[in-house]
Amino acid sequence: REEALRQTLWGEYYLNSKTKKILKGKAGGLNSKAKGTDFTPMFAQMILSNIWKLYDIIQQGDIEKRENIVQKLEIKVSPRDVKHRDSRVALQAIMSSWIPLARTVLDAVLDCLPDPRQGQNERLQIIWNYPEAVSPLSDTTEPLAKQQEKAVQSWTLQRTAIQACSASRSRPMIAYVAKMVTMEATAARGKVSMPKPREKEGQDSSTSDVIHGAAAASAAPSEVKKETVSSFKSTKEPTKIVVGFVRVLSGMLKVGDQIHVYGPRYNPSKPLNDQENMSHHSVATVTGLYFLMGKDMENVSQVDAGFICAVSGLDQAVLKTATLSSLAPGECLPLTMTIASLAATRASASMVRVAIEPYNPAEMHKLQEGLKKLNQADPVVETY
């Protein structure tokens, strides 16, 4: 049964081929009462062993056996790939047709992961762990009762917004930056192919090339100069951009929005005039929103609650993780995932410390830029 397999496929579970029963326990402790049992874990016995056999058969180079495998698995593989001399080519063609990685991972995500609304409700105590008795958002100019009332209103507003996972305009925008990622700038802009000029009727391509070449040669010096300047400017454009890997939990995020950024060390219970605490708060402008499509990024104008996206414009405000919100200090209770991430980073103290310097001292700025990007991308790495 599928339910039984889901529970026993991982771990120390073994299948008795005679009784057709699944036994639990260490292999050494089952010898006396489990005759006929294959003491190979069920995952290795039922899944890995079949994949290993497939690997061995394909690498042997027997074309007839390869064709039998393709026929039994009922997959479509070109005869050229099946008969290829390089076993790696045949192996990749057969495996990608039998168990394509992208479709397999997507099916597992759809089957195993809850939808955003259900997932946020289940993980609410982790992503936003604030008890009902919230300490007041300190403001020395207001009475304590007023502070407590504001704190309860803020707590209720954000809790219901995260639970609803709604993109309604009445909901505050709340998002979590999981990490900062460096991407190719061309992936964000997209490739634009310029159309060739239409050739006149009766004019072949060679004549057209000669005419265009002559026109370029006879161009005015000012035009050539402008073209040279423009090409020089294009070489100075950045080849990589830093974007935030963001999950929108509530509300709607749009290009051009000014948002509040709360670092992991921001404490909402401290007074608003606490300079040290407010140094962990900043304001950033969203300059771009993208859906991550493999190596490419698809430009979008807005992202609703429940979606994962990439956000540009945060590289100067976010080091590794942060909370993004439309709520100002005194109203926002940042996500506690940032606190958990900070605690995990502190718990895993640096095991290796290395002092590095550039081979060429004149390239120190390149080393600094590289270390900065590494520090943003990897939560375990710390640079000084």
Side-chain angles (χ1 to χ4, degrees), residues 139-298:
D139 190 342
T140 56
T141 62
E142 288 187 346
L144 181 60
K146 189 68 174 178
Q147 295 179 37
Q148 291 176 341
E149 182 183 352
K150 280 187 175 182
V152 172
Q153 289 176 354
S154 176
W155 179 87
T156 305
L157 175 67
Q158 292 173 76
R159 182 182 177 87
T160 54
I162 295 175
Q163 287 178 325
C165 188
S166 171
S168 171
R169 293 183 181 275
S170 61
R171 303 287 186 182
M173 194 287 295
I174 303 172
Y176 174 64
V177 182
K179 61 179 179 178
M180 301 297 289
V181 184
T182 302
M183 300 286 289
E184 296 289 340
T186 53
R189 290 196 299 264
K191 296 181 180 179
V192 181
S193 56
M194 299 301 293
K196 295 181 179 180
R198 182 181 295 178
E199 298 172 359
K200 291 185 179 179
E201 225 176 293
Q203 179 180 315
D204 59 11
S205 59
S206 59
T207 308
S208 174
D209 291 340
V210 171
I211 292 173
H212 290 314
S218 61
S222 59
E223 295 180 5
V224 176
K225 187 176 181 181
K226 288 180 181 177
E227 185 179 353
T228 306
V229 172
S230 62
S231 63
F232 177 76
K233 287 183 178 178
S234 63
T235 59
K236 293 296 183 180
E237 292 181 1
T239 58
K240 296 182 181 293
I241 59 173
V242 179
V243 296
F245 188 75
V246 176
R247 172 71 176 267
V248 183
L249 303 176
S250 172
M252 183 188 304
L253 192 59
K254 292 183 179 181
V255 176
D257 283 353
Q258 280 199 336
I259 53 177
H260 296 275
V261 181
Y262 300 92
R265 292 183 174 85
Y266 178 82
N267 189 344
S269 64
K270 289 189 176 181
L272 299 179
N273 55 6
D274 188 326
Q275 296 298 324
E276 182 181 355
N277 186 50
M278 292 305 294
S279 65
H280 303 300
H281 163 267
S282 60
V283 177
T285 302
V286 178
T287 58
L289 292 172
Y290 315 94
F291 282 146
L292 299 172
M293 312 293 288
K295 294 182 179 180
D296 299 322
M297 299 192 298
E298 181 180 345

Side-chain angles (χ1 to χ4, degrees), residues 50-182:
N50 294 321
I51 296 177
W52 291 334
K53 288 178 183 177
L54 186 64
Y55 268 63
D56 292 338
I57 292 173
I58 295 174
Q59 289 179 347
Q60 287 172 5
D62 192 326
I63 305 301
E64 185 177 350
K65 289 183 178 180
R66 291 182 184 177
E67 292 175 344
N68 290 337
I69 289 174
V70 172
Q71 185 177 1
K72 289 180 180 180
L73 293 177
E74 298 180 354
I75 56 179
K76 293 182 179 180
V77 183
S78 66
R80 180 181 177 181
D81 290 337
V82 175
K83 299 176 182 179
H84 205 285
R85 293 182 179 180
D86 191 345
S87 60
R88 294 174 297 179
V89 175
L91 180 64
Q92 184 176 3
I94 294 173
M95 291 297 294
S96 60
S97 181
W98 177 36
I99 313 176
L101 181 61
R103 191 181 70 190
T104 304
V105 173
L106 183 59
D107 289 344
V109 168
L110 295 175
D111 292 341
C112 303
L113 296 183
D115 64 85
R117 182 177 290 108
Q118 179 185 350
Q120 287 180 196
N121 277 276
E122 291 177 355
R123 299 191 297 268
L124 185 64
Q125 297 303 320
I126 299 175
I127 63 178
W128 197 78
N129 186 17
Y130 290 96
E132 288 192 28
V134 182
S135 57
L137 303 176
S138 301
D139 190 342
T140 56
T141 62
E142 288 187 346
L144 181 60
K146 189 68 174 178
Q147 295 179 37
Q148 291 176 341
E149 182 183 352
K150 280 187 175 182
V152 172
Q153 289 176 354
S154 176
W155 179 87
T156 305
L157 175 67
Q158 292 173 76
R159 182 182 177 87
T160 54
I162 295 175
Q163 287 178 325
C165 188
S166 171
S168 171
R169 293 183 181 275
S170 61
R171 303 287 186 182
M173 194 287 295
I174 303 172
Y176 174 64
V177 182
K179 61 179 179 178
M180 301 297 289
V181 184
T182 302

